[in-house]
Amino acid sequence: MAEGTWLSIGALFALLSFLQGLANTFMPYEFSRACRRVSARLYNVIFSREIVYTVEEYEDTQHNDLYAAVELHLSDLAAATARRLRLTQHSKAASLTCSLAESEGLVDVFKGSKIHWDFSTIEQTQAISFSRETVPQTRRLLHMRIHRRDRAKVMSEYIPHVISNAKALESDRRERKLYTNAKSTGWWSYRKVWESIPFQHPSTFSTLALDPILKQKIIDDLTEFKNGEQFYKEAGRAWKRGYLLYGPPGTGKSSMIACMANLLEYDVYDLELTEVRSNADLRNLLLNIGNKAIVVIEDIDCTLNLSERREKRKKDESQAQPGRGSEDKDQDENNKLTMSGLLNFIDGLWSSCVSERIFVFTTNHIEKLDAALIRSGRMDMHIHLSFCGFEAFKVLAKNYLKLKDHALFEEVRAVMEEDGVCMTPADITEVLTRERRDAEQALICLIEGLKASKINKKVQEMSEQKSRQGKESLEEDEVTEEKKQIEPAATRSDESGKKVEAEGQASENGMPSTKEELHAQVKDP
């Protein structure tokens, strides 16, 4: 019985093979392909209850962001359940990344629904393209298989959940970087506009030497900004904020920027304006800055006079190269970075193309800055970093000497509160670092340094006063010399005028006014 059954099944398969060969021989290819398509559709409608979605890594030459999000979302699940995995570690990355190997799959459960994911690759021929983007020859694909009844749930809930989870994982795992703009070399250069290294600055607000009240105010403002996406959206404003850090050198402006980046977990973009050729290049830099970024322009008062310095340099070059034509001059006029371009960079339409961004300017001389640059909306918070106070000193003593209290602290406080005492946190840090092996000696040296700073300030003020007096005296001497030069000329002018007037009166009275007239009268009475 069993043998007869197997013979019947074999005969059936032989008949089907014969019919398929007959159909392939006598039926047109287009007709047979249409039949296969119709039969596949009938099978899917009648028997199959699955729907398959394919997510490719690239669409033409553009990277598919959804593919990256799904791969990141499945990484933890793949590491826990998959049998064959691909392990990768990017350059200088802190952790490994797990992903599915070829023809491997897993099951993700979402609100009671099972979502099956499979990974596959396809080899393709690389097409020649003049685009800067290059696509790998191996196409990577992720296939999502779901039940027909879960179609609406997956598209409306599961896919947004995957994207949201991927963003959170990327924020937690990403390595923060410090960027600087590459030197502009022209449109023919394919170099990246930003070059980066890992950002590993150790400064935090707990180690920053700053007045506690001001420190807490800054922390609160930064925290509200980070959590204020909905507020900025409802208010109709771009999600960005500006901070101006000003004060003498050595007061901790760079450390403040590092503290901001570590608190918010943002990347830092150090913009060097001297390497920017024009407003168009500045806009291109802006478009290549990502979310969660702090854009820093240090010593803004020194970099705003770019036009004058460029013109001087070009003048020197033109004198060295006399054959330079008018076309080069016109090109130089177009390739300029202007104040208007910088303002548009901070607060123009292009500045709102990316969200969650902070602009930070630093300066040692706030009085030199244009009011349009530091107004509200561009620089929303002005932070004055001045000389070190006693509360800031206590933070430094804890960091460098491991001291929370000492008998000499009151003497340090008394000296710091005297008028004329001015030491920056950098100066105090240098003293504490040098004498860190002996805490008491470090405090004694610091007290002496504070007293010396008071004397040095008086000496500097006296020197500046003498210099001002010398300039005023020199100006007075110049004015006196100019008066001396003017007075003889005026005297000569007055004498000449009197002489002319006398001659005129003589002519009116019939008297000869000149020697020539007198000789003429003698010859011809």
Side-chain angles (χ1 to χ4, degrees), residues 169-229:
L169 291 174
E170 182 181 10
S171 178
D172 295 338
R173 297 179 182 181
R174 74 186 183 98
E175 182 183 37
R176 291 185 297 114
K177 293 184 178 181
L178 172 63
Y179 294 85
T180 184
N181 51 307
K183 184 177 181 180
S184 299
T185 55
W187 61 269
W188 58 88
S189 174
Y190 291 156
R191 293 179 59 190
K192 293 181 178 180
V193 295
W194 292 102
E195 298 174 348
S196 66
I197 60 173
F199 181 76
Q200 298 174 346
H201 202 290
S203 291
T204 61
F205 277 103
S206 62
T207 62
L208 183 65
L210 190 65
D211 179 74
I213 298 176
L214 177 59
K215 183 188 299 187
Q216 190 60 46
K217 182 179 179 182
I218 297 171
I219 292 174
D220 293 342
D221 190 79
L222 291 169
T223 305
E224 288 181 1
F225 170 79
K226 184 177 181 179
N227 301 326
E229 179 179 9

Side-chain angles (χ1 to χ4, degrees), residues 374-443:
I374 60 176
R375 68 165 176 80
S376 298
R378 293 189 175 120
M379 294 295 107
D380 302 288
M381 190 173 184
H382 296 187
I383 303 173
H384 183 210
L385 301 177
S386 186
F387 298 107
C388 189
F390 181 70
E391 295 297 331
F393 156 75
K394 289 171 64 177
V395 176
L396 295 176
K398 180 181 178 181
N399 295 340
Y400 291 87
L401 304 179
K402 308 303 179 186
L403 291 178
K404 292 185 178 180
D405 197 6
H406 194 274
L408 293 175
F409 272 20
E410 288 302 320
E411 187 173 353
V412 173
R413 180 202 292 269
V415 176
M416 281 186 167
E417 292 177 353
E418 293 180 4
D419 293 335
V421 175
C422 52
M423 284 187 72
T424 64
D427 297 330
I428 295 178
T429 297
E430 178 60 28
V431 175
L432 300 183
T433 302
R434 186 177 64 247
E435 305 292 341
R436 65 185 181 276
R437 294 177 181 83
D438 189 344
E440 185 171 351
Q441 181 63 27
L443 295 177

Side-chain angles (χ1 to χ4, degrees), residues 30-299:
E30 291 78 5
F31 181 74
S32 62
R33 186 178 63 174
C35 291
R36 286 195 299 269
R37 291 174 60 184
V38 170
S39 61
R41 289 183 180 179
L42 289 174
Y43 175 81
N44 291 331
V45 171
I46 298 172
F47 299 102
S48 178
R49 297 183 179 181
E50 287 187 342
I51 299 175
V52 180
Y53 296 91
T54 300
V55 183
E56 295 191 26
E57 184 178 12
Y58 283 89
E59 289 291 337
D60 295 330
T61 60
Q62 299 296 323
H63 192 275
N64 188 357
D65 293 337
L66 180 59
Y67 181 92
V70 172
E71 189 176 40
L72 186 58
H73 169 74
L74 298 176
S75 59
D76 290 340
L77 186 60
T81 62
R83 297 179 59 187
R84 291 184 299 149
L85 299 167
R86 293 184 300 116
L87 291 178
T88 56
Q89 184 173 17
H90 299 288
S91 177
K92 299 180 181 179
S95 60
L96 295 172
T97 302
C98 297
S99 55
L100 295 174
E102 174 69 22
S103 302
E104 183 67 14
L106 56 81
V107 179
D108 188 14
V109 180
F110 177 76
K111 294 185 177 180
S113 300
K114 292 183 178 181
I115 296 95
H116 298 262
W117 287 99
D118 301 293
F119 174 78
S120 65
T121 59
I122 300 175
E123 295 293 333
Q124 65 178 5
T125 303
Q126 177 66 41
I128 299 176
S129 175
F130 293 100
S131 174
R132 298 185 189 180
E133 302 291 338
T134 58
V135 181
Q137 293 185 0
T138 302
R139 294 171 54 195
R140 301 196 299 171
L141 306 94
L142 285 168
H143 308 278
M144 179 179 66
R145 293 184 291 111
I146 61 173
H147 197 280
R148 191 184 305 169
R149 65 172 179 269
D150 297 327
R151 181 200 295 262
K153 182 194 297 184
V154 167
M155 298 305 296
S156 62
E157 299 182 36
Y158 178 69
I159 295 298
H161 164 71
V162 169
I163 296 174
S164 177
N165 186 44
K167 288 182 178 179
L169 291 174
E170 182 181 10
S171 178
D172 295 338
R173 297 179 182 181
R174 74 186 183 98
E175 182 183 37
R176 291 185 297 114
K177 293 184 178 181
L178 172 63
Y179 294 85
T180 184
N181 51 307
K183 184 177 181 180
S184 299
T185 55
W187 61 269
W188 58 88
S189 174
Y190 291 156
R191 293 179 59 190
K192 293 181 178 180
V193 295
W194 292 102
E195 298 174 348
S196 66
I197 60 173
F199 181 76
Q200 298 174 346
H201 202 290
S203 291
T204 61
F205 277 103
S206 62
T207 62
L208 183 65
L210 190 65
D211 179 74
I213 298 176
L214 177 59
K215 183 188 299 187
Q216 190 60 46
K217 182 179 179 182
I218 297 171
I219 292 174
D220 293 342
D221 190 79
L222 291 169
T223 305
E224 288 181 1
F225 170 79
K226 184 177 181 179
N227 301 326
E229 179 179 9
Q230 189 64 28
F231 165 76
Y232 282 90
K233 184 177 181 180
E234 293 176 355
R237 292 185 56 185
W239 191 11
K240 62 183 181 64
R241 193 157 178 81
Y243 294 85
L244 176 66
L245 310 181
Y246 67 98
T251 52
K253 293 185 282 294
S254 298
S255 297
M256 172 69 75
I257 295 170
C259 293
M260 289 180 172
N262 287 328
L263 175 68
L264 300 174
E265 298 182 344
Y266 284 6
D267 294 324
V268 178
Y269 289 78
D270 185 15
L271 177 58
E272 181 57 53
L273 288 180
T274 56
E275 298 296 339
V276 182
R277 297 174 58 222
S278 64
N279 294 337
D281 290 340
L282 186 63
R283 183 169 61 248
N284 188 33
L285 287 168
L286 178 67
L287 295 177
N288 283 276
I289 297 175
N291 292 333
K292 300 181 181 295
I294 298 178
V295 183
V296 180
I297 303 180
E298 295 194 274
D299 298 324

